[in-house]
Amino acid sequence: MPVRSRRSKRRQGAGVGAWFDVFEGEFDFFGELEATGVDLNRHGKPDIEVARTAWGELGEAFMEEFAARYPDGAHFTPWAVEQFGLPTTAKRRPGRR
């Protein structure tokens, strides 16, 4: 029976892993967003409104991963925080998950 190839979990959809470079420094340095279908300009930047929407959905998860990568604190402020502000925490209604 042929061996089934495994797809990278980072490449399945444009999650935090794919957006990390953009949120951190404005550019998609490794083409991960482009591989998930997000259009980039010739400089490797996504449309600002697409980035804003992604920040709204993935901002909290990015900040957790950012803190994990820089446990002693980063010497810079991520681009997305400068552009869009700190991510808002999702307010849950009692009894909802």
Side-chain angles (χ1 to χ4, degrees), residues 15-80:
V16 172
W19 279 98
F20 194 89
D21 288 336
V22 174
F23 289 162
E24 187 178 53
E26 189 178 8
F27 299 94
D28 182 20
F29 295 109
F30 301 108
E32 292 182 2
L33 279 180
E34 196 167 40
T36 63
V38 175
D39 289 331
L40 304 173
N41 68 13
R42 65 186 177 138
H43 303 292
K45 294 182 189 180
D47 179 68
I48 192 77
E49 292 306 317
V50 173
R52 184 185 316 275
T53 301
W55 180 248
E57 296 171 8
L58 303 170
E60 287 183 66
F62 166 79
M63 292 304 290
E64 289 174 10
E65 188 169 330
F66 186 76
R69 287 192 186 190
Y70 301 101
D72 296 330
H75 65 282
F76 63 96
T77 303
W79 173 81

